[in-house]
Amino acid sequence: MSANEKILEVRNLKTYFFTNVGVVKAVDGGTFHLKKGQALGIVGESGSGKSVTSLSILRLVPKPAGRIVEGEILYRGEDLVKKSQKEMREYRGNRLFMISQDPMTSLNPVFTIGNQIGEAIRKRQKLNGNDLKEKIIEMLKLVHIRASETRVHAYPHQFSGGMKQRAMISMALACQPEILIADEPTTALDVTIQAQILKLMMEVREQYQTSIILITHDLGVIARFCDYVLVMYAGKIVERADVKTLFKGNRHPYTRGLINSLPHLGKKQRRLETIKGQPPDLLNLTGGCPFEPRCDYSVERCSVEYPPVESAGKGHLLSCWRWREI
Amino acid sequence: MQRYLIKRSFQSLIVILGITVIVFMILHLTGDPTDLLLPPEAGPEERELLRHELGLDKPIYVQYLEYIKNICHGDFGQSFRYQTPAFSVVMGALPATIELTMAAMILSIVVALPIGIISAIRPRSYYDTLGMTFALLGQSIPVYWAGLMLILLFAVTLGWLPSTGRGGIKHLILPAVTLGMFSTAAIARFTRSSMIDVLDADYIRTARIKGLSEHIVVLKHAFKNASIPVLTMTSLQFGRMLSGAVITETIFSWPGVGRIAVQAIYNRDFPVVQTVVLVASVIFVGINFMVDIIYTYLDPRIKYT
Amino acid sequence: MAKSSKLWAQIKQAPVGGLTILFLFIVVALFAKFIAPHSPIDQDITHALSPPFFLEGGTWNYLLGTDELGRDILSRIIFGARISLVVGFIAVAISGSIGVWFGLISGYFGGKVDSVIMRLVDIQLSMPYILIALALIGALGPSLRNIIIVIGITSWVTYARVARGDVLGIKENEFVDLAKIAGCSTYRILVRHIFPGVVNSQIVLGTLMFGRVIIFEAALSFLGLGVQPPTPSWGTMLADGRQYLTYAWWLATFPGFAIMLVVLGTNLVGDWLRDMLDPKQRAAVRGKR
Amino acid sequence: MKGESILKVNNLKKYFSMGKEGIFSGKARMVKAVDGVDFSLYKGQTFGLVGESGCGKSTTGRCILKLYGITNGEILFQGKNIHSFEGKERMQYRREVQAVFQDPYGSLNPRMRIGEFIEEPMLVHGTFNSRDRKKRVAKLLGVVGLSSDHASRYPHEFSGGQRQRICIARALSLNPKLVILDEPVSALDVSIRAQILNLLMDLQEEFGLTYLFISHDLSVVEHISDFVAVMYLAKIVEMAPCDMIFKNPLHPYTNALLSAILVPDPELAQDAIILEGDAADPRGLEKGCRFRDRCFNATDECMEKEPELIEVEPNHKVACLRVAQKK
């Protein structure tokens, strides 16, 4: 098992939502891969398709509106798109796990924390009674929850947001997945708690060699946590690069605009650079580049034809007609 | 939890008091009972005398307080018609009504929950469409008509089941189905929609992410959450049933409190009417209180507030 | 643009059957005089208990047969629709306008006012409403006006509960705070900012309750304390027909069928309206009478 | 630097009652959302109020907006206690203090046209006649970067950023002196956030507005503020001019907050100060420093004595015993 092994390969993934108002192409041709032990970041704004990508990998796209219409999701060579929901159960919880956005709602309010972690443990080990309880306490200790002996019996509403997210991570640890997807794991948390959770996730990654897909809108989190980054806009991956290249040598106007629009601490500027216009309406996309109306570099061609994926360096891919001039 | 239960019992007490006020007021609205008790040719002196005897010449709040005092002593007044204590008239008929409502309720729950749950798991499937069509019909058919049609079909035409009276399971079937029809439909539809709501929740996704089997996801994780609003709704159905029993008992000549109450209204036998209303209300408040206790087991969030 | 196409998509899902039933019901009720083949009260003993046309002995003259006094059932059903329409419409209007205000006030002010109103609601829900209605009508006398009033004042709670729930949600919105900050009076906030938010669910509720009220009115008539003879009402017809169930089933069957059809129509239309206007409100209100 | 004070908050306290402890005991459970806060807003400047969720920053803003009554202390607007305002004075205050909130979806009444929404404050205050009001709505829409024919549309046609512009237009409609900005950009996408921040700063310059900018996001606060106060559990723990607080943070909590900001630059190696635990329950704090349980510098004294907010260097106030001793 080499360190560079690709454990997940997504090829030309298209996940659409068929609403009675029209078709929303939430993910429209996503191709990327994840290596063993890698931390892959997916960054984008609301509606960019980053969360749908993760749900597609788990095959949990909300039915009946959402559907994977095309593409392959290869986990160690097995195409997950072709699996039945029953077969997927062997992957979920064992090989794949996801921590979702809102720790407040992702735990079931009517069962104890211990009960919910226990379910994850029993998926791998058939433990019962005291053995199970001890294992649960051990799991809670791993994520630094104090007084875990009594907290086993607590209900989610007795936990703070940070503690709930820790409990979710302990569930992930119980499953020992190869791939951990974290969908905005810290967005709902305060900054000091965010720092705690990110640190914990780094520990997990180091200790268990877990590959992590981190989905966020926060470029700060990306810079801190990830090795490699995908930037999504309106269902398309517009640029991808290792994290240094992305921040220092990006060539896509959207990536650049996004990074420049952030206020920089300690660098007081009077005005921020902005991206003009409004986020795209996913129902009314034309065949061209979806960023075209907001782009300062756009030319006629941009509104007609979507640019092909081109390489701008080692591992640096992007889709823009004019990237060479940027 | 104690706080919660104390608060709820306090509220229940207020509700019962409020009911006594309303019953008392309706009683007064119905006019002078001396009209009923005395022969029409009775003179004004006789009338005054009776009014004094009955305490009707006292101020209204004194009358109310005496009324409450009497109730507390178990004295609900004499039935004008039967010339026995109204309370014992009502209590004598109560078992029949309880039998009927319990049968109808159990029937509703047993039928409605599976329909609601399965429809929610597979929305817009063949099963869902069928189940919900029946539920819609069940909510559209008036109880009295349903009763008559069932009698027409199973008693008159087919002769399988008796159409009137009480005794044994055979007698119970038609009235229970009649009374339970609306509730079955309502609970089934409500279960479906709360299950659909809950199945959308993030924690259900978490359960699926853990790779749990679908029946654990649905029956453990989803149903326990969905059962909380369903329980509320079901307990309200009890209130409806007590009203529905009035009609059902009339149709099937079921010897319960509902039929007694209707007769009492015809006969202007007010002590009986008010006793029925009070007893039925107290039962309903009691059921709601029990449901509150069940809540504390279903929803841990209540226990700690 | 997105919104209008969405609206169109929902309109396309309209329950044609339900709307047709309601439309026919209203037309029949309004133009009963012109539609009914016979007078609803004229008796013709020679034709008493004549069966509907499709049975042996039935005639085309009396499509749905006649009752024990030889009155045409179809005509009586047609005229009975008037009572149902009038009672349904006015009672819903009365109870809705009482209920919505209690709900608005209860939800918006909260605290003690809310507790008092909610206890009133509890009291109302705890009592067997049909007995209360019967007792009240018994006391006031069974006139159409009294029936409407009694139904109106005994069914306001559902509107109040739903409106209160809506208000509690709307109140959380920051536009309510912004209205206070702008200096709007409480009255203006209630009327301009809160009320429009509860209208949709009240319309949905009113539609569904319309059916409930028709059933309720017929139930009162069925129990003998509704609209008094000879005025034709569906409930009275059912009650009268009950005695003849064994050998003249049509007497009770057809008026009941009419009630069911109309209620089915309101339920279908109400469900559709709910999906369209008020997706949040679930079947919750259905069970609560 | 300071100029004319427009609003002064003195020892503001706001306790919320969380129901009675028992049915029969009269003692109410209190949550101290704001527990003795002092600060001043100066004309034409932006005062940043920063802290984590539940620290009382929004409650402070809402007290100033008179959405809540206050438990203790006073709020002086141009020298007058705002809670003593009645009738005309009250309406005057309502005219001069406006707000923009966090949620662009909840801020707009979905059943009111944009034009009506912006016009409403003027209508309520009886400023201008109907025609002039319409003109002003059109003008305001232009000021916030929208087009005047947006007035006849409903909110659902607008995106989050546009909605926030509409709220700003409404806030400006009465020519206010002070605008409370409660997390105005937190719910917006990154690419839209910068647009709104720029707009707010332009408007401040153009109309000489005073802002109270409430936010959890330190980098945004640093960008827009002249003066910053950091709140922790219902109290201000540090307060200083913006540059000073970011270049030389003194309170350990401010330090931890600053180090927890993730700079979008992978080359800047950061060693965050990781604070233990969650923010404490404000109900448990009877004595001592409210930050002591999470503080990496706490001593025994911190358990016993509550630090006062004192000026340790010109214009720089800190509530920390250890910092005060060092100085």
Side-chain angles (χ1 to χ4, degrees):
Chain A
M1 199 193 274
S2 79
N4 255 343
E5 187 192 7
K6 292 178 185 176
I7 56 169
L8 184 79
E9 260 196 281
V10 175
R11 290 188 192 147
N12 193 29
L13 176 70
K14 293 187 177 179
T15 305
Y16 294 177
F17 285 80
F18 298 87
T19 70
N20 49 9
V21 210
V23 180
V24 175
K25 297 178 178 177
V27 179
D28 198 16
T31 302
F32 61 92
H33 61 259
L34 175 70
K35 290 176 189 161
K36 179 89 188 150
Q38 191 183 35
L40 174 75
I42 304 182
V43 68
E45 299 178 282
S46 44
S48 60
K50 54 191 196 303
S51 292
V52 177
T53 306
S54 64
L55 291 176
S56 302
I57 295 170
L58 286 159
R59 294 283 313 283
L60 286 174
V61 180
K63 282 187 287 186
R67 216 163 64 216
I68 298 175
V69 292
E70 212 183 305
E72 292 173 322
I73 299 168
L74 301 173
Y75 170 80
R76 296 194 173 278
E78 299 260 353
D79 188 358
L80 299 183
V81 176
K82 296 206 173 73
K83 302 282 176 205
S84 70
Q85 284 294 326
K86 203 171 173 191
E87 288 167 319
M88 274 310 292
R89 257 179 248 145
E90 291 311 306
Y91 290 88
R92 290 184 211 133
N94 281 339
R95 326 273 172 82
L96 312 167
F97 194 85
M98 181 167 94
I99 301 169
S100 42
Q101 200 153 3
D102 191 352
M104 308 296 166
T105 57
S106 47
L107 288 164
N108 196 327
V110 301
F111 295 105
T112 60
I113 301 281
N115 184 325
Q116 297 183 56
I117 295 172
E119 282 181 331
I121 294 171
R122 282 172 53 89
K123 180 93 181 158
R124 309 197 118 240
Q125 291 168 281
K126 294 286 166 236
L127 292 176
N128 276 314
N130 260 342
D131 295 343
L132 180 65
K133 190 178 163 189
E134 261 161 44
K135 183 81 185 172
I136 297 168
I137 294 172
E138 191 192 316
M139 290 285 117
L140 287 173
K141 281 189 176 141
L142 278 179
V143 294
H144 315 300
I145 288 183
R146 282 181 273 186
S148 44
E149 285 82 0
T150 51
R151 292 265 161 79
V152 177
H153 302 294
Y155 286 94
H157 71 274
Q158 294 165 296
F159 271 33
S160 69
M163 272 160 67
K164 281 183 203 167
Q165 206 59 302
R166 283 168 192 276
M168 285 299 293
I169 293 172
S170 83
M171 247 180 240
L173 291 181
C175 296
Q176 294 196 7
E178 259 190 308
I179 301 173
L180 175 63
I181 302 173
D183 186 353
E184 306 263 13
T186 58
T187 306
L189 305 175
D190 282 322
V191 274
T192 58
I193 310 297
Q194 165 170 296
Q196 294 172 355
I197 297 294
L198 285 181
K199 186 173 164 229
L200 180 63
M201 283 177 48
M202 284 179 192
E203 285 172 24
V204 170
R205 185 184 160 201
E206 257 162 51
Q207 212 164 343
Y208 302 95
Q209 277 296 300
T210 314
S211 312
I212 294 181
I213 300 179
L214 182 90
I215 292 163
T216 182
H217 69 281
D218 187 336
L219 286 160
V221 173
I222 291 280
R224 188 69 193 277
F225 194 83
C226 300
D227 315 321
Y228 195 81
V229 188
L230 316 177
V231 180
M232 289 191 76
Y233 188 82
K236 307 265 191 196
I237 301 175
V238 294
E239 184 164 17
R240 79 195 68 173
D242 64 82
V243 70
K244 274 192 184 142
T245 314
L246 192 92
F247 280 94
K248 300 294 174 192
N250 54 56
R251 306 294 286 268
H252 195 284
Y254 175 64
T255 314
R256 184 160 297 179
L258 209 56
I259 292 170
N260 287 344
S261 67
L262 294 172
H264 270 254
L265 213 56
K267 195 171 76 183
K268 193 120 183 175
Q269 70 265 62
R270 185 60 199 160
R271 287 187 68 84
L272 295 166
E273 285 182 39
T274 60
I275 300 176
K276 67 183 179 189
Q278 302 300 320
D281 178 358
L282 294 175
L283 277 169
N284 297 310
L285 292 179
T286 55
C289 173
F291 189 59
E292 180 271 328
R294 302 178 68 188
C295 184
D296 290 329
Y297 298 88
S298 69
V299 289
E300 221 172 282
R301 187 176 197 182
C302 298
S303 62
V304 190
E305 206 179 336
Y306 189 74
V309 178
E310 292 181 82
S311 172
K314 190 172 176 292
H316 185 185
L317 300 173
L318 76 170
S319 301
C320 177
W321 289 116
R322 299 191 63 196
W323 67 271
R324 286 183 182 81
E325 301 152 54
I326 293 165
Chain B
M1 178 161 102
Q2 252 178 336
R3 261 170 52 84
Y4 169 75
L5 288 181
I6 289 173
K7 193 176 144 205
R8 292 297 290 141
S9 19
F10 191 63
Q11 285 176 352
S12 303
L13 206 69
I14 292 179
V15 167
I16 290 175
L17 266 178
I19 291 166
T20 59
V21 172
I22 290 185
V23 170
F24 181 76
M25 271 170 17
I26 290 175
L27 213 64
H28 266 258
L29 209 65
T30 50
D32 198 336
T34 53
D35 292 345
L36 284 165
L37 294 173
L38 290 174
E41 63 274 12
E45 294 90 29
E46 245 177 299
R47 195 159 289 236
E48 269 317 301
L49 201 68
L50 187 66
R51 284 178 65 87
H52 183 74
E53 233 170 75
L54 293 172
L56 293 174
D57 52 348
K58 293 180 189 157
I60 190 117
Y61 67 92
V62 176
Q63 288 186 43
Y64 174 72
L65 288 178
E66 276 178 7
Y67 165 77
I68 292 288
K69 203 177 89 193
N70 289 339
I71 287 178
C72 291
H73 288 113
D75 176 10
F76 289 76
Q78 289 284 101
S79 160
F80 298 159
R81 186 170 160 189
Y82 302 99
Q83 296 304 323
T84 50
F87 190 65
S88 58
V89 172
V90 174
M91 282 301 150
L94 196 59
T97 299
I98 288 176
E99 179 185 314
L100 175 61
T101 29
M102 285 313 289
M105 204 50 173
I106 291 166
L107 188 79
S108 303
I109 293 170
V110 168
V111 176
L113 289 187
I115 293 181
I117 292 172
I118 299 174
S119 296
I121 304 171
R122 312 208 181 292
R124 292 172 198 199
S125 66
Y126 184 71
Y127 182 92
D128 178 34
T129 314
L130 195 74
M132 287 307 109
T133 307
F134 271 111
L136 192 67
L137 279 174
Q139 282 197 305
S140 305
I141 296 176
V143 185
Y144 33 89
W145 190 62
L148 292 182
M149 290 303 110
L150 288 174
I151 290 175
L152 189 60
L153 183 63
F154 292 101
V156 177
T157 312
L158 298 171
W160 290 351
L161 293 166
S163 67
T164 54
R166 181 183 175 216
I169 197 92
K170 265 195 159 183
H171 284 85
L172 190 57
I173 293 175
L174 287 185
V177 170
T178 305
L179 183 56
M181 194 177 282
F182 183 91
S183 300
T184 310
I187 296 172
R189 288 182 59 131
F190 193 78
T191 305
R192 177 180 182 268
S193 68
S194 25
M195 278 296 279
I196 286 179
D197 274 357
V198 169
L199 284 169
D200 242 13
D202 286 355
Y203 51 79
I204 295 300
R205 197 165 71 194
T206 307
R208 293 214 167 102
I209 290 167
K210 280 192 275 189
L212 300 179
S213 68
E214 198 57 22
H215 66 264
I216 291 195
V217 172
V218 171
L219 293 179
K220 180 182 169 185
H221 283 269
F223 186 68
K224 194 172 174 192
N225 280 283
S227 65
I228 296 166
V230 168
L231 187 65
T232 311
M233 196 268 184
T234 307
S235 73
L236 281 171
Q237 286 299 316
F238 258 109
R240 249 199 65 80
M241 273 201 179
L242 292 172
S243 283
V246 172
I247 296 168
T248 312
E249 289 178 2
T250 308
I251 299 171
F252 291 94
S253 309
W254 188 265
V257 288
R259 205 165 64 119
I260 286 190
V262 174
Q263 309 261 304
I265 288 171
Y266 292 148
N267 301 325
R268 319 202 83 173
D269 192 352
F270 295 114
V272 172
V273 178
Q274 54 154 313
T275 311
V276 172
V277 171
L278 272 181
V279 168
S281 308
V282 170
I283 289 176
F284 181 71
V285 171
I287 288 169
N288 270 316
F289 190 71
M290 283 197 299
V291 166
D292 284 336
I293 294 172
I294 300 174
Y295 274 151
T296 60
Y297 289 99
L298 283 179
D299 189 348
R301 283 162 293 192
I302 292 175
K303 258 184 224 174
Y304 301 89
T305 44
Chain C
M1 153 102 197
K3 172 98 173 188
S4 61
S5 60
K6 202 169 158 188
L7 196 72
W8 179 237
Q10 281 162 333
I11 287 172
K12 274 196 296 192
Q13 290 173 357
V16 181
L19 286 170
T20 314
I21 293 171
L22 283 195
F23 178 75
L24 284 179
F25 168 62
I26 292 170
V27 168
V28 162
L30 290 178
F31 301 104
K33 264 185 200 146
F34 308 103
I35 295 172
H38 299 274
S39 153
I41 47 178
D42 282 357
Q43 303 177 4
D44 181 2
I45 302 297
T46 51
H47 286 108
L49 296 177
S50 148
F53 72 94
F54 49 84
L55 287 186
E56 213 185 307
T59 67
W60 286 95
N61 194 20
Y62 300 108
L63 276 180
L64 299 181
T66 59
D67 66 7
E68 73 280 10
L69 298 173
R71 296 176 293 196
D72 179 36
I73 293 194
L74 178 64
S75 304
R76 285 180 68 75
I77 287 177
I78 289 172
F79 274 88
R82 299 183 127 185
I83 301 287
S84 295
L85 181 71
V86 167
V87 174
F89 202 78
I90 303 179
V92 164
I94 292 177
S95 50
S97 39
I98 300 174
V100 75
W101 279 106
F102 271 111
L104 279 177
I105 290 166
S106 182
Y108 185 74
F109 292 103
K112 289 208 173 71
V113 182
D114 183 36
S115 303
V116 170
I117 295 178
M118 281 302 106
R119 288 301 79 72
L120 277 178
V121 167
D122 283 348
I123 289 169
Q124 177 97 61
L125 281 177
S126 306
M127 295 193 296
Y129 59 89
I130 206 156
L131 287 183
I132 297 298
L134 284 176
L136 275 175
I137 292 172
L140 299 171
S143 70
L144 189 60
R145 193 194 63 187
N146 288 344
I147 289 167
I148 290 172
I149 292 174
V150 166
I151 295 177
I153 59 174
T154 50
S155 55
W156 61 276
V157 279
T158 317
Y159 301 90
R161 284 171 66 119
V162 171
R164 174 177 179 269
D166 285 350
V167 174
L168 290 181
I170 295 169
K171 218 168 62 161
E172 294 300 307
N173 280 304
E174 287 163 338
F175 66 77
V176 178
D177 289 331
L178 284 174
K180 285 183 206 161
I181 291 163
C184 295
S185 62
T186 305
Y187 178 76
R188 185 178 168 88
I189 291 172
L190 273 176
V191 172
R192 283 294 280 131
H193 291 276
I194 310 255
F195 183 71
V198 309
V199 167
N200 279 356
S201 58
Q202 295 287 316
I203 290 174
V204 172
L205 189 58
T207 314
L208 296 171
M209 289 295 282
F210 186 75
R212 290 281 95 79
V213 166
I214 288 176
I215 287 187
F216 193 22
E217 178 272 323
L220 292 176
S221 300
F222 180 76
L223 292 172
L225 282 169
V227 181
Q228 293 304 295
T231 316
S233 124
W234 293 347
T236 328
M237 289 173 73
L238 258 175
D240 295 344
R242 193 179 148 211
Q243 302 156 36
Y244 303 92
L245 197 62
T246 43
Y247 52 95
W249 56 264
W250 52 93
L251 261 62
T253 306
F254 292 123
F257 194 72
I259 300 175
M260 190 196 78
L261 265 187
V262 173
V263 176
L264 185 65
T266 62
N267 282 343
L268 283 168
V269 173
D271 283 353
W272 166 65
L273 283 176
R274 182 177 54 218
D275 292 344
M276 190 164 71
L277 298 175
D278 187 23
K280 268 178 300 177
Q281 185 188 337
R282 299 285 168 178
V285 296
R286 301 302 290 296
K288 297 170 195 160
R289 180 157 71 92
Chain D
M1 151 135 203
K2 277 194 169 171
E4 180 195 341
S5 162
I6 178 165
L7 185 114
K8 206 163 156 30
V9 175
N10 285 336
N11 192 29
L12 174 69
K13 290 185 182 177
K14 174 66 192 170
Y15 300 168
F16 288 103
S17 154
M18 299 299 285
K20 302 277 168 60
E21 280 188 344
I23 295 271
F24 302 107
S25 94
K27 208 173 142 202
R29 288 190 301 178
M30 288 294 190
V31 169
K32 299 179 176 180
V34 179
D35 197 16
V37 160
D38 302 85
F39 60 87
S40 294
L41 306 183
Y42 295 97
K43 194 167 179 353
Q45 297 197 356
T46 302
F47 186 92
L49 195 54
V50 67
E52 296 180 286
S53 51
C55 72
K57 56 187 193 301
S58 285
T59 309
T60 306
R62 285 171 172 263
C63 287
I64 295 173
L65 288 165
K66 287 184 69 170
L67 291 173
Y68 297 149
I70 62 176
T71 308
N72 204 344
E74 55 181 6
I75 299 169
L76 304 175
F77 181 72
Q78 296 177 325
K80 284 185 189 157
N81 187 342
I82 64 165
H83 286 93
S84 69
F85 288 165
E86 285 294 333
K88 236 180 160 179
E89 268 186 324
R90 198 183 66 89
M91 285 307 265
Q92 178 71 22
Y93 185 70
R94 285 284 181 229
R95 204 163 18 231
E96 291 181 344
V97 181
Q98 288 295 315
V100 176
F101 289 124
Q102 173 172 9
D103 178 10
Y105 291 87
S107 291
L108 266 60
N109 186 341
R111 289 175 182 82
M112 225 180 205
R113 288 175 202 276
I114 299 312
E116 291 175 87
F117 183 73
I118 297 173
E119 187 189 343
E120 189 180 39
M122 297 183 274
L123 182 78
V124 170
H125 287 271
T127 25
F128 313 122
N129 60 31
S130 172
R131 233 187 56 225
D132 289 348
R133 283 202 300 267
K134 298 276 185 304
K135 268 192 205 155
R136 184 161 165 77
V137 168
K139 191 174 152 239
L140 284 165
L141 280 169
V143 165
V144 297
L146 295 169
S147 123
S148 57
D149 47 87
H150 283 143
S152 57
R153 300 205 192 156
Y154 282 97
H156 67 83
E157 296 176 58
F158 295 90
S159 66
Q162 288 172 315
R163 283 160 183 256
Q164 219 53 332
R165 288 173 190 271
I166 293 164
C167 290
I168 293 169
R170 172 171 159 127
L172 293 179
S173 65
L174 293 169
N175 279 324
K177 293 202 167 98
L178 170 64
V179 183
I180 313 288
L181 303 165
D182 191 352
E183 306 261 15
V185 296
S186 303
L188 302 178
D189 273 326
V190 186
S191 70
I192 304 298
R193 214 174 269 185
Q195 296 176 352
I196 301 296
L197 285 174
N198 283 345
L199 174 67
L200 286 170
M201 292 175 85
D202 293 346
L203 294 172
Q204 178 168 42
E205 221 159 85
E206 195 177 338
F207 300 107
L209 298 167
T210 307
Y211 288 155
L212 174 64
F213 192 95
I214 298 167
S215 179
H216 70 280
D217 187 335
L218 283 139
S219 39
V220 172
V221 168
E222 193 220 10
H223 177 74
I224 199 169
S225 306
D226 301 300
F227 211 86
V228 176
V230 179
M231 278 186 86
Y232 185 78
L233 275 185
K235 277 202 164 172
I236 291 176
V237 293
E238 184 162 7
M239 183 156 71
C242 191
D243 299 341
M244 207 183 271
I245 214 164
F246 282 89
K247 293 223 174 75
N248 182 24
L250 293 175
H251 196 281
Y253 177 65
T254 317
N255 271 302
L257 267 186
L258 277 171
S259 84
I261 299 180
L262 299 166
V263 180
D265 186 341
E267 281 171 354
L268 285 180
Q270 301 156 305
D271 256 328
I273 303 168
I274 306 278
L275 293 177
E276 291 275 308
D278 296 311
D281 189 340
R283 279 176 288 184
L285 287 168
E286 244 98 73
K287 58 179 184 178
C289 173
R290 46 199 62 219
F291 186 57
R292 67 198 178 200
D293 290 337
R294 300 177 75 195
C295 185
F296 44 88
N297 258 339
T299 61
D300 288 347
E301 201 189 354
C302 300
M303 301 289 161
E304 293 299 322
K305 200 172 150 198
E306 181 161 11
E308 303 260 331
L309 188 66
I310 48 172
E311 197 158 19
V312 291
E313 55 185 59
N315 270 331
H316 194 161
K317 291 182 177 174
V318 181
C320 177
L321 296 172
R322 305 270 323 257
V323 171
Q325 284 157 3
K326 256 188 259 169
K327 288 283 164 179

